[in-house]
Amino acid sequence: MVDQRRRAGGGGGLLAFLGGQLGSDSAQAMVYRSESASEQDAQRRREGIYNFFQVPRNLEPLLLFGYLACVDAFIDQCTFLPIRVLFAAAQRLGRESRSLSPSQRRDALRVLLISLV
């Protein structure tokens, strides 16, 4: 039986042996399968590289949004917070001597914390 395969396969070889073990009719079919498998592997690697290069482009809008959110919070702390505290202090020292609202107290504490740090 082995001699018949060697005669039919033209000398044998690893691909002919593997083709015979896997039930392939010829070694040429096994070679074709290995070429198509290597093409599929190359295609997968190529897609992985393309995805790798697309990550920064897809991540930039998210990073920009985060940066703008931080800038917005910083501008709020540096501009509007002191103005709100000045209005609260003017209200407290002015004619109306009522106590500060919870939001005005919170703003005053935030300014105190910022000035201490």
Side-chain angles (χ1 to χ4, degrees), residues 2 18 21 26 33 35 37 42 46 50 54 64 67 73 77 82 89 97:
V2 175
L18 291 175
Q21 293 296 318
S26 68
R33 284 189 196 125
E35 287 176 359
R46 194 175 307 119
Y50 291 155
Q54 288 177 355
L64 180 64
Y67 175 74
Q77 296 296 316
S97 65

Side-chain angles (χ1 to χ4, degrees), residues 7-103:
R7 287 184 204 139
L14 181 62
L15 291 177
F17 173 74
L18 291 175
Q21 293 296 318
L22 296 174
S24 175
D25 292 337
S26 68
Q28 186 65 23
M30 185 66 176
V31 171
Y32 178 73
R33 284 189 196 125
S34 67
E35 287 176 359
S36 67
S38 66
E39 289 174 11
Q40 290 173 352
D41 289 341
Q43 180 68 25
R44 277 192 222 118
R45 279 190 234 116
R46 194 175 307 119
E47 288 175 3
I49 291 171
Y50 291 155
N51 288 337
F52 176 76
F53 285 118
Q54 288 177 355
V55 166
R57 185 181 64 178
N58 294 334
L59 192 61
E60 283 177 3
L62 179 64
L63 293 175
L64 180 64
F65 175 74
Y67 175 74
L68 291 176
C70 289
V71 168
D72 179 51
F74 180 75
I75 289 173
D76 180 59
Q77 296 296 316
C78 293
T79 56
F80 296 118
L81 182 64
I83 293 170
R84 287 195 308 248
V85 169
L86 288 176
F87 280 135
Q91 178 185 353
R92 180 78 173 132
L93 296 175
R95 290 183 232 159
E96 303 171 14
S97 65
R98 60 185 176 128
S99 64
L100 297 175
S101 70
S103 65

